[in-house]
Amino acid sequence: MTDSTAIRHLPDHDAFLLTGSGFSYAFAVGADGSLRHLHWGGPLGASDVAALLGDDARDFGSNTWSHPRAHTEELVQHGGRRLDETALKVEFADGVRALDLAYAGHRIAGDELAVTLTDRHYPFDAVLSYRVRPDEGVLERRCELVNRGEHPVVVDRAASASWPLPWRPRWEATWLAGMYAAETQVTRRALGPGRLVLESRRGIPGHAAQPWLALDAGAGDTTGEVWSVALAWSGSWRLVGELAFDGRLHVTAGVNDYDLRLPLAPGTSWTTPVVAGVYTAAGHDDLTDRWHRYERRHVAPRPDTIRPVLYNSWEATFFDVRPESQVELARRAAGLGAELFVVDDGWFAGRDDESAGIGDWTPDARRFPDGLAPLAEEVHRLGMRFGVWVEPESVSPDSELFRAHPDWIFQWPTRPRTLARQTHLLALSRPEVRDHLVTALDGLLSSAPIDALKWDLNRPLTEASDGVDASSPWIAQVEGLYEVIDRVRALHPGVWIESCASGGGRADLGIMSRTEWTWPSDNTDALERLAIQHGYLRAHSPHTMMAWVTDSPTYLTKREIPLRFRFHSAMCGLLGIGGNLATWSTDELAGAAEHVTRYKHIRTTVQFGTVRRLDADAPDDVTALSYQAPDGGQLAVFAFAPSVRHLRRTVLLRLRDLDPAAVYVDADTGARHSGALLMHHGLRVPLVGDYASALVVLDRAP
Ligand code: GLA
């Protein structure tokens, strides 16, 4: 029970004070044994805790039952008069569905605190875990449910945490809503009394919203308090913001309880996924910085490795994957400076279109009689790494795998099976299915020098039974996926994995801890992509955000966009190329090569730098953002306008967080600007004509 700097137990008050950069979080053990929440906000000292304890918000006289109880509790358990949003509900073997948990002890180890709550009647514990990431000011929370008894317990609802926010007179919520091909659109609304429910019931995170939410009481980019939570879970999830009429806001975050019946056998336990929370007093810029730093330091694999320039063949060839045309694309991609060449869907047995082949991860013998090795080796000779697309969790009815194991999918015995994109979902809840996938992917990765996988999923979970144990596929499927990825990564530690999020929206902190980057959207229209990227960057670091330059007109929207705009748009994240290079003119190829060279010059800044959205200075039709290198030595400023109106030919963008005394030199023109001028007057950026775009690179003078 040793205190750390980040976590202190205050025995006089039986209280806990958790502190990281710019924030404190406090709660105490109440006289009745319940955990009483005290504070989540700016930093406090131990001497403030007595005052927090004296500030009892529950004292409303005899009508207290009408006031939200949730706001005062660390873990809102179902039972008694807790008739608000609850975090935990279980059913005991005798049919009792109310909990009565009380503090039983705690343990502090380093920056982690575990508080055990024990039921007063049943041998059942909930262990609340807190981990402070002091430098980023992030608090990670999760909850372990322990059945110590001799009878099964069924978990009906198990959020990772409840987050009571302080009272404020008004609240604004920001979240990332969307749909297929229009993902992560910044959505901001004033909250009224009632509930804001963001969720997925699909077994995958889905496109409707990211499991991420920011709440402020009137913050801007550079000022104001913001609270934010994000869930590390790649399945069905639920975030609820419940606002009482008097301004008390309470957030619950965790796996979705929709159709959840999670059995806990005697002597077993289950731990929820992590939900991370961030508080800042310095506005949405600082919130973005904290989430980005957190992903880089505590989530991402290979956090310090520059991500390669990718070529992906999907939009160039779709299912018509043949070695000759792939080699031709690879030659041209290498000529442009691509470093990783990925063959998308269509390379494996029987895969001529969407109707067949998923599940059989062996190369199509008609097209690749000697397997993938000759193509992979040719790609290596061209100086690039080689990768392939897979969708391991799905299976086509027309596949060898399904014919051999029709029982390996989620299905109800008496109901029709729902096909989605002409596939079923393999039940990764079953150990033999997980073993099969690990063996199949190991076989694939061992059959040729394959350096990367694009890991896709293009369907939801619909029939929630794996034929063996109908209890809780919603949880077991995601845990099964994590196990399979972890085992594949352990067998092939050099392989990079891209989480393809456009089929399933899977770009959450859970999958991001196992993959090098994500594919945020199938929409490669460079203009529409800007809005998608703008939202994505609120929650996620640019080193995870892949973007391809594709053909014009773009295949989904048919919009014609100049090459320069397409490149600039994709250069705001991880630059990829996905056009049919066989049809690009010599001029286009030369122009593309120049953009790739330029990108390599700025990519450390873009991938690992500090991002600023310059919305305040950008008229409605302009998108602008800047990236500052981690060492402050370089700035990359991007601006975009679909069409320039009236006589305006420039925008004046005030940059933020520079050294006012430093001099920044325009890498193209040699113009010199002081940091003070760039911040207080602005950088004048030319934007001329239709689909105008600009990239200004500024180097800090020594
Ligand atoms: C999904 C992905 C695309 C592509 C196709 C292949 O739609 O999002 O990028 O890989 O599958 O079928």
Side-chain angles (χ1 to χ4, degrees):
M1 286 208 204
T2 30
D3 286 2
S4 73
T5 5
I7 298 179
R8 298 183 63 186
H9 177 231
L10 309 171
D12 288 355
H13 306 297
D14 226 348
F16 298 90
L17 180 63
L18 285 56
T19 303
S21 156
F23 90 98
S24 285
Y25 187 100
F27 60 95
V29 182
D32 60 356
S34 69
L35 291 187
R36 184 180 152 203
H37 179 82
L38 300 174
H39 175 77
W40 183 27
L44 295 177
S47 56
D48 298 314
V49 169
L52 293 176
L53 282 162
D55 181 28
D56 192 341
R58 288 177 294 183
D59 186 12
F60 284 99
S62 62
N63 256 349
T64 49
W65 64 269
S66 76
H67 289 272
R69 163 122 183 162
H71 199 264
T72 60
E73 286 189 318
E74 268 302 281
L75 175 77
V76 190
Q77 47 186 304
H78 179 84
R81 63 185 169 92
R82 299 177 193 88
L83 302 169
D84 335 297
E85 185 74 17
T86 52
L88 181 62
K89 182 179 175 207
V90 305
E91 180 171 347
F92 294 102
D94 59 4
V96 169
R97 295 196 303 280
L99 280 155
D100 189 8
L101 295 164
Y103 173 82
H106 74 271
R107 204 178 58 246
I108 296 174
D111 292 339
E112 290 184 73
L113 162 67
V115 180
T116 301
L117 305 177
T118 295
D119 194 273
R120 286 195 165 91
H121 182 83
Y122 299 91
F124 179 84
D125 297 342
V127 183
L128 310 191
S129 291
Y130 301 79
R131 178 178 197 149
V132 180
R133 302 292 191 178
D135 297 342
E136 296 74 33
V138 173
L139 180 60
E140 292 176 346
R141 297 178 59 189
R142 67 198 144 86
C143 178
E144 181 187 8
L145 307 176
V146 188
N147 178 5
R148 291 183 288 101
E150 288 167 7
H151 304 288
V153 172
V154 176
V155 179
D156 291 326
R157 171 178 285 196
S160 300
S162 319
W163 300 87
L165 274 65
W167 290 15
R168 294 291 182 267
R170 62 193 70 82
W171 284 102
E172 301 258 356
T174 306
W175 68 98
L176 305 173
M179 57 193 293
Y180 174 74
E183 296 83 354
T184 54
Q185 308 285 317
V186 176
T187 307
R188 189 165 163 80
R189 298 280 185 279
L191 286 183
R195 286 181 197 169
L196 170 72
V197 179
L198 305 177
E199 66 173 350
S200 161
R201 299 178 167 195
R202 293 157 187 259
I204 44 178
H207 304 94
Q210 283 261 318
W212 179 95
L213 175 65
L215 297 150
D216 66 73
D221 283 334
T222 58
T223 56
E225 293 180 288
V226 194
W227 293 256
S228 181
V229 296
L231 186 69
W233 184 245
S234 309
S236 294
W237 57 272
R238 191 161 189 262
L239 291 184
V240 180
E242 186 171 40
L243 181 62
F245 187 74
D246 64 5
R248 284 184 282 183
L249 178 56
H250 180 258
V251 176
T252 309
V255 300
N256 205 323
D257 63 345
Y258 166 74
D259 196 37
L260 185 71
R261 286 186 64 75
L262 177 67
L264 269 187
T268 65
S269 70
W270 179 73
T271 303
T272 70
V274 165
V275 58
V278 173
Y279 166 81
T280 173
H284 284 275
D285 276 0
D286 192 55
L287 179 72
T288 299
D289 290 352
R290 285 170 188 264
W291 280 128
H292 289 189
R293 284 205 304 272
Y294 174 64
E295 283 192 349
R296 286 172 196 157
R297 294 189 193 157
H298 302 294
V299 180
R302 284 187 257 271
D304 301 321
T305 308
I306 291 285
R307 275 34 180 174
V309 174
L310 166 77
Y311 179 83
N312 178 293
S313 66
W314 174 239
E315 288 193 26
T317 59
F318 291 105
F319 293 104
D320 186 16
V321 174
R322 284 173 290 112
E324 319 80 57
S325 50
Q326 295 294 318
V327 168
E328 182 53 28
L329 288 169
R331 283 205 190 100
R332 291 188 170 222
L336 299 185
E339 297 156 318
L340 168 63
F341 182 88
V342 173
V343 178
D344 211 281
D345 196 353
W347 58 269
F348 45 96
R351 188 68 167 170
D352 297 331
D353 52 36
E354 283 187 3
S355 68
I358 298 232
D360 299 337
W361 302 113
T362 49
D364 188 289
R366 296 164 297 167
R367 290 171 279 174
F368 296 97
D370 301 317
L372 289 173
L375 176 58
E377 282 157 12
E378 181 59 22
V379 166
H380 282 183
R381 263 193 295 280
L382 289 164
M384 298 181 291
R385 298 185 199 203
F386 178 75
V388 291
W389 177 95
V390 287
E391 189 175 333
E393 300 136 83
S394 298
V395 64
S396 306
D398 184 1
S399 66
E400 295 306 320
L401 181 67
F402 186 72
R403 280 185 279 277
H405 299 286
D407 58 323
W408 276 10
I409 63 167
F410 285 117
Q411 56 189 320
W412 296 115
T414 56
R415 302 288 177 215
R417 306 182 197 119
T418 308
L419 275 174
R421 211 184 180 215
Q422 306 200 45
T423 61
H424 295 300
L425 195 62
L426 287 171
L428 273 62
S429 48
R430 294 172 63 154
E432 65 273 34
V433 178
R434 299 197 293 273
D435 290 347
H436 165 81
L437 283 182
V438 173
T439 306
L441 293 170
D442 179 33
L444 169 65
L445 291 169
S446 308
S447 73
I450 297 173
D451 310 295
L453 294 175
K454 179 182 176 190
W455 191 303
D456 205 347
L457 176 60
N458 284 297
R459 62 152 299 146
L461 199 168
T462 45
E463 284 71 44
S465 167
D466 67 7
V468 181
D469 171 5
S471 51
S472 191
W474 304 104
I475 304 292
Q477 182 70 356
V478 181
E479 292 180 340
L481 167 72
Y482 290 164
E483 181 196 309
V484 170
I485 298 182
D486 292 347
R487 287 168 64 187
V488 170
R489 286 192 76 106
L491 290 170
H492 297 273
V495 167
W496 303 55
I497 302 181
E498 171 178 49
S499 172
C500 178
S502 202
R506 198 154 63 187
D508 60 277
L509 294 174
I511 200 74
M512 281 188 176
S513 67
R514 296 173 166 85
T515 54
E516 271 72 14
W517 62 84
T518 76
W519 174 240
S521 176
D522 277 359
N523 190 342
T524 57
D525 176 312
L527 178 64
E528 298 198 3
R529 193 87 180 185
L530 292 175
I532 294 168
Q533 295 182 163
H534 227 55
Y536 183 97
L537 289 173
R538 292 262 177 165
H540 304 302
S541 162
H543 86 271
T544 68
M545 185 177 83
M546 180 55 74
W548 308 336
V549 176
T550 53
D551 295 338
S552 176
T554 310
Y555 102 98
L556 277 181
T557 63
K558 308 294 177 231
R559 191 175 266 134
E560 290 187 42
I561 301 181
L563 191 73
R564 176 184 158 91
F565 190 108
R566 279 180 274 151
F567 263 96
H568 285 165
S569 170
M571 285 160 81
C572 292
L574 305 183
L575 175 63
I577 300 163
N580 186 359
L581 298 180
T583 65
W584 287 25
S585 70
T586 316
D587 280 355
E588 284 174 316
L589 291 170
E594 275 176 33
H595 286 298
V596 173
T597 304
R598 188 121 210 253
Y599 177 71
K600 288 179 179 170
H601 179 64
I602 59 166
R603 69 172 152 183
T604 305
T605 301
V606 169
Q607 295 182 9
F608 299 108
T610 306
V611 184
R612 292 287 173 261
R613 298 168 295 269
L614 306 178
D615 298 344
D617 288 339
D620 282 352
D621 54 349
V622 172
T623 302
L625 61 172
S626 68
Y627 297 73
Q628 181 169 188
D631 67 358
Q634 188 183 59
L635 290 161
V637 183
F638 292 90
F640 304 87
S643 69
V644 176
R645 301 175 60 199
H646 311 308
L647 295 177
R648 197 186 70 232
R649 289 164 183 276
T650 64
V651 282
L652 187 62
L653 302 173
R654 280 169 299 161
L655 308 186
R656 297 203 283 281
D657 300 304
L658 309 188
D659 176 355
V663 170
Y664 296 86
V665 184
D666 187 314
D668 293 315
T669 66
R672 297 168 74 83
H673 315 278
S674 74
L677 181 104
L678 292 171
M679 287 195 291
H680 305 311
H681 175 72
L683 174 71
R684 194 162 285 285
V685 177
L687 283 179
V688 181
D690 288 343
Y691 292 107
S693 67
L695 164 59
V696 180
V697 179
L698 300 169
D699 294 311
R700 184 180 168 142

